[in-house]
Amino acid sequence: MTTPDTTPDVMAPAPRPPLLSRLGALGPLLGLLALMAVATALNPDFLTVSNLSNVLTRASFIGIIAVGATFVIVSGGIDLSVGSMAALMAGSMILIMNAAAPSLGITGSILLGMLSALLIGVGAGLLHGTAITRGRIEPFIVTLGTLGIFRSVLTYLSQGGSISLDNALSDRYSPVYYGKLLGIPIPILVFAAVALLGGLILNRTRYGRYVQAVGSNEQVARYAAVDVTRVKITTYVIQGLCVGIATLLYVPRLGSASPSTGLLWELEAIAAVIIGGTALKGGSGRIWGTVVGAVLLLSIENVLNLTSIISVYLNAAVQGVVIIIVAFLQRGRRT
Amino acid sequence: MTTPDTTPDVMAPAPRPPLLSRLGALGPLLGLLALMAVATALNPDFLTVSNLSNVLTRASFIGIIAVGATFVIVSGGIDLSVGSMAALMAGSMILIMNAAAPSLGITGSILLGMLSALLIGVGAGLLHGTAITRGRIEPFIVTLGTLGIFRSVLTYLSQGGSISLDNALSDRYSPVYYGKLLGIPIPILVFAAVALLGGLILNRTRYGRYVQAVGSNEQVARYAAVDVTRVKITTYVIQGLCVGIATLLYVPRLGSASPSTGLLWELEAIAAVIIGGTALKGGSGRIWGTVVGAVLLLSIENVLNLTSIISVYLNAAVQGVVIIIVAFLQRGRRT
Amino acid sequence: MTAPSAAAFHGVTRSFGPVQVLHGVSLQVRPGEVHALIGENGAGKSTMMKILGGYLPPSGGSLEVNGQPAHFRNSRDAEARGVVLIHQEFNLADDLSVAQNMFLGRELGGALLDDRAMNAQAAAALQRLGLTLDPRTRVRELSVPHKQLVEIAKALSREARLLIMDEPTATLTVRETDTLFALIRRLREQGVTILYISHKLEEVKALADTVTVLRDGRVVSSAPAQDLTPHQMASLMVGRELEDMFPPHAPPSNAPLLEVEGLSVPGWATDASFTLHQGEVLGFAGLVGAGRTELFEGLLGLRRSTVGQVRLKGRPVRLGSPGAAARAGIVYLSEDRKGKGLLVDFQLRPNLTLMTLQHYARPVLDPRAEQRALERAVQTYGIRTGRLDVPASALSGGNQQKLALARILEVHPQVIILDEPTRGVDVGAKREIYALIQQLAAAGQGVIVISSELNELLGLCHRLLVLHSGRVVATLEGEAMNEQTVIQYATGLRTPAAQVPA
Amino acid sequence: QTKQVIGVSIPSADHGWTAGIVYWANQTKAELEKMYPGLSVIVKTAKDSNEQANQIQDLYTVNKINALVILPQESAPLTKPVADLKKQGVFTLVVDRALTDPTAQSAYVAGDNPGLGRVSGEYVGKTLGGKGNVVVLRGIATVIDNQRVDAFENVIKTKYPNVKILDKQYANWNRDDGFRVMQDYLTRFPKIDAVWAQDDDIAVGVLKAIQQAGRTDIKFVLGGAGMKDMVKKVMDGDKLITADVTYPPTMIRDAMRLLAKARMTNTAMAKSTIIPSVLVTKANAAEYYFPKSPF
Ligand SMILES: Nc1ncnc2c1ncn2[C@@H]1O[C@H](COP(=O)(O)OP(=O)(O)OP(=O)(O)O)[C@@H](O)[C@H]1O
Ligand SMILES: Nc1ncnc2c1ncn2[C@@H]1O[C@H](COP(=O)(O)OP(=O)(O)OP(=O)(O)O)[C@@H](O)[C@H]1O
Ligand SMILES: [Mg+2]
Ligand SMILES: [Mg+2]
């Protein structure tokens, strides 16, 4: 560099990040494409519109929850309770709908039920966020606790059995899952909307920037006048809302809730987030990665259903191996 | 060298070790004592020797695994696979014992089986550690993957059913669980030994110091010429060994392994570690806290079985509430 | 030269990605001398020293230590040859204790560690620096100057033949600096060679035998210290004549801007009251540990504190949190750049705009407007970086400081509290920061400066408050505002009998 | 020759009984495919209701099944997905757990959960001579568990009012929980006459706990489902395991056989077939002993 004596040297125009790290960032996508290629080779039906639409529809539940989990994880937290929360929401929602139907009518009670699911989500999020920030308890512990609590309450409500939506309600409500708009199943549209909105919030709004800052270094964020407590609480509320939205789509599908509803969804959601390239320690993350992660997880399951090359006992092993391979493909990003 | 020429007057006194944070450090212990008081009030049988010995014996499995988990977590990692690993070990161990009995004799094959469990632990630990350090894959993902893989392999080996130890072997081996030494059940003694050794290693050896340094600041550790890769791999090996030891005690109890063996042990082990005051993000931790955490978790379950004050459906809710309360008691420690 | 050089660089180059930082530097360090290395922020001083210390490999060229070629793969290799580096950015594990950090990687004891011996030795090493500190304290709990002293003690406790100090005094006040210098001189007598980096040119003049000036990754001069005045050093560094460091200041108005009454921060400061006027630059002096940092952290709700009353332009305000303070127009620059100042993993742009995002939200953030702001700030504050899209951690220490300063000034605050504003900043840039402070004051804003450099405080401030053990012991202005008086108050040699109401 | 694709969707082998289901499903697949050349049988396992719902959708869209045999993880959540398949023209044979909407199932091969509870209740009541203390270990919180326990309690309450149920806790159909819950029961209740473990896996843990405590007040432990080890014990005249109540995983075999026959020979199949839960005692144990099954 030939430097003029006085003025600071002119900045080079920001060049693009190195190719390798850009490729690494595409890791999960590459993983998904590779999986799709293998799947199609194993069973050409994989690539049919109806199958792909099935897979995406299913990925919507975990995917929507995982969008919320991305916020929580980027901010440096974790929420283990999402599966139980979904179960509790589904159960309460159905009970409320059934109870309200005689007085409010079908549509009215469905709307009331939907609203109540979202409210439970907001409430749970506030509870988590407050216990974690003001109560200064580790997120892992708080949400492990509520994992037990939510599921227990549902078990109590259902007296150990299952809670089913009345038929009339079920018929009116089921298009929310089974219906299509412009040929695309509604859950996929909702998933896309949630992901887009999530991406926009995380990457293009003040709040999203604060979430990243808090996850990167809470102390610095605090000194920079970021209201860390509010930012954190809000991530848990977003998580709760996302679980609520996923439950709104889940209930019309199966029309019931039981103590085993949503079991282990937390692991799947967190796995989707991390396969997507978000670091568990927080600070940075990307919604599109999470979306790819969720689709990838559900595709593995789908492929296993489509083929019978190996023993049924080994399904989970194949899933495990694929997850590790995909994570390996995108490891370039890590420091 | 003594004081330099310009003797400075004594500086501000060393800041007091704040009483509050010292009390906070005792949080889990306080929690345990409170729980024991409540338990005794609810059912005086709680404090009987035989009940306490039952509780401690059961706590041994999770406790020993949690000692290993403390190393992993302090170093900044996580191992989700411990439950599946235990199941795989138990199954393999039994199969090996059964197969070897005719040729090696009872005692020989028991020893071979025990050795093989420990070797599986070491192997799994090496696998995890290597994938995480050299493969640069998030620990969460690696061990989520092997969680599926280990359990699948066991399910395959058992064809979904259970694998049982032959009677002759079982009779010879069962004292390892049911036997007593100086009136104390062997699992409790082993737990105590593992905890003491773990505490010694973590707090009083070079290696333990490096584990903390790596978890606190990997870069600093690297600059101090700590072999970060080896330190990390070793924590997973220690975890594997601890799971192995726990399995050695587990198998003689029921003499069988099945796909439900060790389910969710990972959550219990991590919960024990964190209730004990180790931060999930790594850097510092204490084995005695982990021990208290494990005993506490198992005591909650025991108390619930000893009383019928509330609906069984709500057991998990009570557990959740107690966990959160205990964590709240020891929150003083957090920064 | 008869004896071989203690250390020598031969045409050493170093690049980070496409950006070349060192352009073939050659340098001889005579054994047993104190050799100062000076240069503007980002000139490449730390990079050179990291290479010598075994922390970074060179891209080209070669090194010699004691006449023998040196190819260090890591710092352990360098230490084996007696080369020890004290980092500019602290290199301590927060969760470990002071003693554990000092002995990390070379613990005492056999199979079991001998913590008692390590604690004793650590305490002794700290004592040599005049610091009485429980070696079992976790580093997380230390203040920045104390971390600095621990970092120094850590290096001193190793058997160094060649000791590299990268801005060891950036946050130390006169007394600690004096103690350190006494130590350095003793080490020199014992034949230890010292490579010393500092932006405090008076110190360099007082201490060094030889001064080497680095500019843009090239050595521009290497000469005996006695041949250079601090002013000449500065001119060599920036490559042109520097005018007066401190621009003349306009008198402040009499209108009070910020009035604080009865501020106490438990354990740190007791019943402090002061008034900042519009257009005033108010200094806070005191020794390390006097509680200046904590006082203002308390004021902004960053620590637990109690306060009688705070008035801004005569109106009572409540400053419960940094957010409330920022909304009221009060901002604070932390002395702890790495821990509290910058998001080191983030790029420069989000770092700069973190406190002013509302200006870029319409309502969706406009990264291009942010980028323009960054380009402006880079110009205004002279932030030197090869590229704009690097993480903040890739900036040199002084340039990180400028970025942190730029962030809080983006807020256009009324009251600006600056804790060590020129920490690690080169003379040229320092001058610009001083000018900026005067400009802000001239525009009617109020500036509070906390600094370890007495010169800076004396040259910059209208009035000076001295803190001792958490109490305001003096308010000085005019004639009374001189080095001797300040030191007397700060060390407690003089008591606040003559206190003027602030 | 008719060509038929039968999909079989069952829970994955996560405890003894489901392992038996998986085993018999695979055995029967081999048997039937050999017997009927035009037939192909696809066996799939699912870890939860949600996955099972996905799975039967995949079986329809991709594997193009004509008939489905399903042993639902849970009834309620699978009712809708099965009903959908039936609407698309797939013959749906539901095994063990009846759907909440009976019109969703073309045919039903039923295990008899209330029956299991009833038979168990009768045995416990009668063997105790109408008087004594019983502890109950439940399974996992599901409808099945409720049906069994309700039927059991009902028999005890109405027919044996002097038999006292001391407590009911979940043991999650696994051995470890059986052991732990029983250990605590033993601490808590000084006198227990009989244990209803409801499931043979739980009973394994219960036996170990009793053995460890060395308690002699317990007269017998009644499991359920017909696990081979337990049936063997009954056969051999074990002191504590005096009987068992079947809930045979072979019901999946029976269902598959019935369906294959009906489809391949184009005959109608009975709308509902009940596989009763029967009491296994020393007298009839040999009939229920399948040493090759994993269960
Ligand atoms: N890891 C890195 N990646 C990219 N650039 C870097 C990295 N480390 C340093 N640089 C660049 O190298 C140049 C020299 O940095 P260095 O830290 O050596 O400066 P310095 O002379 O010590 O400055 P200061 O006085 O501010 O401490 C700077 O422009 C800096 O941005
Ligand atoms: N009132 C006090 N009581 C006890 N210790 C004190 C007190 N004031 C200061 N200290 C000591 O000073 C140390 C650090 O103080 P610190 O350096 O943060 O103060 P400061 O005045 O902000 O320093 P600087 O002038 O460098 O900013 C603490 O570890 C503490 O031991
Ligand atoms: Mg530097
Ligand atoms: Mg300070």
Side-chain angles (χ1 to χ4, degrees), chain A residues 150-320:
Chain A
F150 294 157
R151 194 169 293 286
S152 266
V153 174
L154 171 74
T155 310
Y156 180 76
L157 291 177
S158 68
Q159 291 294 302
S162 56
I163 303 175
S164 294
L165 194 58
D166 290 345
N167 269 336
L169 288 160
S170 181
D171 290 344
R172 178 75 57 85
Y173 191 9
S174 65
V176 169
Y177 178 83
Y178 293 98
K180 293 185 177 192
L181 213 74
L182 308 169
I184 304 172
I186 291 177
I188 301 184
L189 293 175
V190 175
F191 181 22
V194 169
L196 283 175
L197 192 67
L200 193 75
I201 293 177
L202 187 60
N203 298 316
R204 300 297 300 276
T205 65
R206 290 167 69 182
Y207 173 71
R209 187 70 61 78
Y210 294 154
V211 170
Q212 299 181 34
V214 167
S216 178
N217 188 333
E218 195 174 320
Q219 194 73 306
V220 172
R222 212 159 71 92
Y223 274 72
V226 174
D227 188 341
V228 174
T229 303
R230 225 188 51 199
V231 168
K232 282 191 174 179
I233 293 179
T234 313
T235 62
Y236 290 94
V237 172
I238 291 177
Q239 172 73 86
L241 269 176
C242 286
V243 176
I245 295 172
T247 308
L248 296 187
L249 300 172
Y250 175 82
V251 169
R253 174 173 189 210
L254 302 180
S256 75
S258 76
S260 60
T261 299
L263 265 185
L264 296 184
W265 280 8
E266 60 279 0
L267 275 189
E268 287 191 48
I270 299 172
V273 173
I274 296 182
I275 291 174
T278 297
L280 195 56
K281 66 172 181 359
S284 72
R286 26 186 199 178
I287 300 285
W288 74 260
T290 298
V291 171
V292 172
V295 174
L296 195 119
L297 280 178
L298 273 290
S299 301
I300 301 174
E301 199 185 285
N302 176 250
V303 176
L304 288 171
N305 281 338
L306 295 188
T307 52
S308 314
I309 37 166
I310 46 150
S311 161
V312 286
Y313 299 122
L314 292 175
N315 277 359
V318 177
Q319 290 191 12

Side-chain angles (χ1 to χ4, degrees), chain A residues 43 45 50-51 54 58 61 155 158-162 164 170-171 174 177-178 250 252-256 258-261 263 265 268 298 301-302 304-308 312-313 315 319, chain D residues 13 19 22-23 26 42-45 47-51 53-59 61-64 74-81 84 100-101 138 140-143 146 170 294:
Chain A
N43 186 338
D45 285 329
S50 69
N51 187 57
N54 282 344
R58 292 174 207 163
F61 303 131
T155 310
S158 68
Q159 291 294 302
S162 56
S164 294
S170 181
D171 290 344
S174 65
Y177 178 83
Y178 293 98
Y250 175 82
R253 174 173 189 210
L254 302 180
S256 75
S258 76
S260 60
T261 299
L263 265 185
W265 280 8
E268 287 191 48
L298 273 290
E301 199 185 285
N302 176 250
L304 288 171
N305 281 338
L306 295 188
T307 52
S308 314
V312 286
Y313 299 122
N315 277 359
Q319 290 191 12
Chain D
V22 175
Y23 170 81
N26 281 319
I42 302 167
V43 177
K44 293 286 171 194
T45 65
K47 66 177 187 300
D48 56 33
S49 316
N50 195 35
E51 190 185 341
N54 294 343
Q55 188 170 78
I56 62 176
Q57 197 177 35
D58 290 342
L59 283 171
T61 39
V62 182
N63 301 97
K64 318 259 177 342
E74 291 174 282
S75 310
L78 282 151
T79 299
K80 228 174 172 15
D84 280 350
T100 46
D101 174 9
R138 313 188 57 156
I140 292 174
T142 50
V143 177
N146 285 354
Y170 285 107

Side-chain angles (χ1 to χ4, degrees), chain C residues 60-96:
Chain C
S62 63
L63 290 182
E64 265 174 32
V65 169
N66 287 327
Q68 303 295 315
H71 303 283
F72 300 141
R73 281 161 307 162
N74 53 41
S75 58
R76 174 64 69 89
D77 283 358
E79 276 182 33
R81 300 276 294 272
V83 180
V84 176
L85 169 65
I86 301 173
H87 283 267
Q88 177 176 20
E89 302 300 335
F90 308 136
N91 204 6
L92 302 167
D94 273 345
D95 296 296
L96 298 189

Side-chain angles (χ1 to χ4, degrees), chain C residues 45-46 88 166-167 396-397:
Chain C
K45 304 179 296 294
S46 295
Q88 177 176 20
D166 196 351
E167 298 191 37
S396 78

Side-chain angles (χ1 to χ4, degrees), chain C residues 147-221:
Chain C
K147 282 187 191 172
Q148 177 76 73
L149 289 170
V150 169
E151 185 76 46
I152 295 170
K154 176 176 158 188
L156 290 180
S157 67
R158 312 197 166 193
E159 290 304 311
R161 299 305 306 154
L162 174 60
L163 187 60
I164 308 166
M165 302 181 150
D166 196 351
E167 298 191 37
T169 59
T171 60
L172 299 186
T173 52
V174 198
R175 189 174 58 178
E176 295 78 30
T177 305
D178 286 347
T179 314
L180 179 65
F181 283 4
L183 252 165
I184 291 178
R185 292 195 177 100
R186 285 183 56 132
L187 287 171
R188 176 170 56 186
E189 280 161 26
Q190 293 165 6
V192 176
T193 312
I194 290 164
L195 254 163
Y196 188 86
I197 298 178
S198 179
H199 289 292
K200 301 183 177 175
L201 301 178
E202 303 286 347
E203 278 178 19
V204 169
K205 175 74 185 160
L207 193 67
D209 302 304
T210 310
V211 177
T212 294
V213 182
L214 203 64
R215 198 194 310 151
D216 294 324
R218 295 186 176 83
V219 172
V220 293
S221 131

Side-chain angles (χ1 to χ4, degrees), chain C residues 352-353 359-360 368-383 388 406 410 412:
Chain C
L352 177 73
T353 56
H359 300 326
Y360 307 98
R368 270 188 290 171
E370 288 184 76
Q371 189 69 22
R372 283 193 296 275
L374 176 62
E375 280 158 18
R376 250 194 332 269
V378 160
Q379 285 294 331
T380 313
Y381 301 96
I383 299 170
L388 289 180
E410 285 279 296
H412 298 300

